[in-house]
Amino acid sequence: MLKKNLLSIAVVTAAMSLAACNDKEAATDPVETDTTTEEVVVEPAVGTAPEAEAEPMADPMAETDGMATQTIAEVAAGNENLTILTAALQAAGLDTMLMDQGTKYTVFAPTDDAFAPVLEKLGVTKEELLANTDLLKKVLPYHVVPMEVKAADIPYGTDIKTANGATITISDDSVITDATGGKANITGTDIMATNGVVHTIDAVLMPE
């Protein structure tokens, strides 16, 4: 009986030892995990493109001489204050001279109001004055200098020879004195044309 009990104990002990071994193996077996390693691709650094060089802005105060698109005759024809002068140039056939691109001119242009005292002094109408081409051909070239003279370049106090051969003088306060001692104020300057420049005046210049 004792022998039988001892045998039973031995069997139970062996069974327990075997179970413990199995549990230990189970605990130490690595657990496979389905882990996916994501490959990270690092893009190469791209250098910053240099900024485009900004183009210089146009200077609004830049010289505008190159912007002239009309001749002196065309400038006068397009000025509402120079209608009598334009008609007189056309009547005397001098408008073609002031369209010439081969020569630079300076024109001291009497405004329409400047002709009023002349008409009164001569006792003629505007139409009668325009019909007197001999007078126009003598007087009108006296307002023309055969070179370009801007306001800043006027030689004050010096005789200035005009296109009809007679001279005028200009004081430093912009007053023109003609051959008869008559006076004319320069009222506008540097109206640029493709073949010269126009300055407006408030009286008609008389060569004699």
Side-chain angles (χ1 to χ4, degrees):
M1 184 66 175
L2 181 59
K3 187 175 181 179
K4 185 176 180 180
N5 289 339
L6 290 174
L7 182 59
S8 298
I9 293 172
V11 171
V12 171
T13 300
M16 292 177 64
S17 298
L18 181 59
C21 289
N22 290 337
D23 290 342
K24 185 175 181 180
E25 289 179 2
T28 57
D29 285 342
V31 178
E32 292 186 5
T33 57
D34 186 12
T35 303
T36 302
T37 302
E38 182 178 355
E39 183 178 356
V40 179
V41 178
V42 179
E43 295 287 343
V46 178
T48 303
E51 294 184 3
E53 185 176 347
E55 294 185 3
M57 294 180 63
D59 182 1
M61 301 301 293
E63 181 67 50
T64 59
D65 287 8
M67 297 175 64
T69 59
Q70 295 180 310
T71 64
I72 291 175
E74 291 169 332
V75 168
N79 191 314
E80 61 182 9
N81 293 317
L82 301 177
T83 61
I84 298 178
L85 175 63
T86 299
L89 289 170
Q90 293 171 349
L94 297 176
D95 56 327
T96 54
M97 179 184 79
L98 297 180
M99 290 181 183
D100 181 12
Q101 298 284 7
T103 305
K104 293 290 187 178
Y105 297 102
T106 299
V107 174
F108 294 97
T111 62
D112 289 347
D113 289 341
F115 279 91
V118 174
L119 296 177
E120 182 178 354
K121 181 178 180 179
L122 295 177
V124 298
T125 65
K126 182 179 73 172
E127 289 72 24
E128 290 172 334
L129 175 65
L130 296 177
N132 191 343
T133 56
D134 289 339
L135 177 62
L136 295 178
K137 288 179 180 179
K138 183 183 349 181
V139 172
L140 294 178
Y142 191 50
H143 295 75
V144 180
V145 176
M147 66 178 67
E148 182 179 281
V149 183
K150 295 181 184 178
D153 302 322
I154 292 176
Y156 298 118
T158 302
D159 287 346
I160 301 172
K161 191 172 183 178
T162 66
N164 83 338
T167 62
I168 59 174
T169 59
I170 305 176
S171 65
D172 55 8
D173 56 352
S174 299
V175 176
I176 302 175
T177 301
D178 65 22
T180 67
K183 307 289 184 180
N185 296 294
I186 299 176
T187 57
T189 61
D190 293 348
I191 304 172
M192 302 307 301
T194 55
N195 60 339
V197 60
V198 176
H199 309 301
T200 58
I201 58 177
D202 64 357
V204 175
L205 305 175
M206 302 301 289
E208 59 181 28

